[in-house]
Amino acid sequence: MNKDLLRMDDLSKDEILDILNLADQLKYEQKHGIEHHLLKGKSLGMIFEKASTRTRVSFEVGMYQLGGHPLFLSSKDLQIGRGEPIQDTARVLSRYLDGIMIRTFSQNEIETLAECSSIPIINGLTDDEHPCQVLADLMTIREKKLILEGLKIAYIGDGNNMCNSLIVGCLTLGMNVAIANPIGYKPPKYYIEKGISLAEENGVSFEMTEDPSEAIKKADVIITDVWASMGQETEAKKRQIAFKGYQVNSEIMKLANNDAIVLHCLPAHREEEITEEVLEAHADEIFEEAENRLHAQKAVLVKLLS
């Protein structure tokens, strides 16, 4: 495994499966009260330039359960909030900490941080990627479906960081992927080309469409996300118009397989990208997915920091 986890394509198929297997083991041990202080004496700096519920709590609790020390670092508390170059922050923190998790806007910032750091860097979310969330999604899908290879995943919504990381992660594991986005809200060219390449390499399908009904046909897993992510609040009204018809509701769910599951990375805007009815019908899966952030990230921490 690479020193860092910056993007989903940092991980091979075997590395993703290794992380999922370790996450399953750590989840079992935690549920049965078995301590696993695999990172005793280790410190993780957690830099937040974006607000967070699940990322902060899951990393903080996970590091504690592994016997290590989590350190919350708001950009307001660090000199980077006052203009210190990320290169200097990286070289200083590398001398204090054993690893850094950062939740920020720019993928370039996290790439620069990794370049200048001598310790592992974990992407807790950028505008381009959300690898830790997708690892938790894959863990949840495997728990609910028992397999990954050959399943059909339908993603309906914005071509955002979740969409990007899902394309890479799911196709790498031999899953069929269908993406439905409105015109103007497709994933970046890099991820479309990467998706085509991975689909050919693994003998699976990768479909891009503007029709949610087409994407969701015979799907085993339906995934959606908010229409306006953090930093896009000023676009909210414009996006509500563009995404009309991209709601996961009971009508469109009839086109999926009868035993299809629904995932959402949360927070959810009920009656926008997903109805209250569908969210509550699939709450077991969605909140198990949220819990699995803890276990999947613990596995990543062990792989990178131990």
Side-chain angles (χ1 to χ4, degrees), residues 184-231:
Y185 297 93
K186 305 273 182 200
K189 183 181 177 184
Y190 171 84
Y191 293 97
I192 296 173
E193 291 180 348
K194 183 76 179 178
I196 293 167
S197 171
L198 285 169
E200 288 176 358
E201 186 182 319
N202 294 310
V204 291
S205 65
F206 174 50
E207 177 188 354
M208 297 284 301
T209 179
E210 288 147 28
D211 183 356
S213 300
E214 193 60 38
I216 206 171
K217 276 181 189 171
K218 302 294 182 186
D220 300 293
V221 183
I222 296 92
I223 304 177
T224 189
D225 194 7
V226 294
W227 292 341
S229 299
M230 276 180 286

Side-chain angles (χ1 to χ4, degrees), residues 83-100:
E84 181 177 48
I86 193 75
Q87 297 94 322
D88 295 354
T89 299
R91 286 179 284 191
V92 169
L93 293 181
S94 290
R95 294 167 184 256
Y96 300 149
L97 302 165
D98 298 291
I100 295 171

Side-chain angles (χ1 to χ4, degrees), residues 31-49:
K31 295 288 187 188
H32 289 80
I34 303 168
E35 286 189 349
H36 38 239
H37 290 171
L38 303 172
L39 297 181
K40 190 174 181 181
K42 302 278 188 178
S43 294
L44 176 73
M46 306 186 306
I47 301 175
F48 285 87
E49 295 184 333

Side-chain angles (χ1 to χ4, degrees), residues 106-124:
S106 166
Q107 184 72 24
N108 287 338
E109 182 176 354
I110 199 171
E111 305 274 356
T112 302
L113 182 67
E115 250 176 61
C116 299
S117 297
S118 58
I119 56 175
I121 306 299
I122 299 169
N123 182 349

